[in-house]
Amino acid sequence: MSKIIVAAAQHAIQAASCWQDFATLTEQQVRTAAHADLLVFAEYGSMGLVAALPEKERQTLDAQLAGMQQFSESYSALFCQLAQKNNCWIVAPTFPFAIAPKHYVNRAWIAGPQGQCFFQDK
């Protein structure tokens, strides 16, 4: 029987002034659990990116969700890169992903050490 090390990350929703701030914080959190085979983040951790949106886009939930879409590709790519770099599996914090205009799903990206990148919608 194989054993794996699982790390659960408490990902406090912290205001990120820009994409790079969010990416840096996330990379630091992954590094602290680099010994793990599987790193699981908490749900809704992506919402700190709302602070990086212009004031007008922070006013309503609809505007926030629409504004978050500019980070969608970078978000999934970040976790896929971090999983490869740290040779582990990562279940990323969920992200409000647009599947149609004004229709969002709470998407969890699952990234693997060999470049695998999957998702599960909630």
Side-chain angles (χ1 to χ4, degrees), residues 9 11 19 21-31 39-47 49 68 71-95 107-119:
H11 186 83
W19 167 256
D21 285 351
F22 179 84
T24 299
L25 172 64
T26 301
E27 187 167 4
Q28 289 170 350
Q29 290 176 317
V30 170
R31 269 198 318 262
L39 175 57
V40 181
F41 280 86
E43 194 167 22
Y44 301 118
S46 63
M47 295 310 292
L49 284 166
M68 289 281 289
F71 304 118
S72 178
E73 288 183 29
S74 298
Y75 189 83
S76 59
L78 172 66
F79 288 97
C80 291
Q81 292 165 1
L82 289 173
Q84 284 183 283
K85 180 178 179 181
N86 293 281
N87 194 36
C88 65
W89 284 91
I90 298 175
V91 178
T94 55
F95 186 92
R107 180 164 285 179
W109 289 99
I110 300 111
Q114 304 300 315
Q116 308 95 321
C117 203
F118 311 98
F119 64 86

Side-chain angles (χ1 to χ4, degrees), residues 41-65:
F41 280 86
E43 194 167 22
Y44 301 118
S46 63
M47 295 310 292
L49 284 166
V50 168
L53 299 174
E55 177 67 29
K56 185 177 180 182
E57 292 179 21
R58 295 192 310 252
Q59 298 304 311
T60 66
L61 180 58
D62 285 342
Q64 290 174 11
L65 295 174

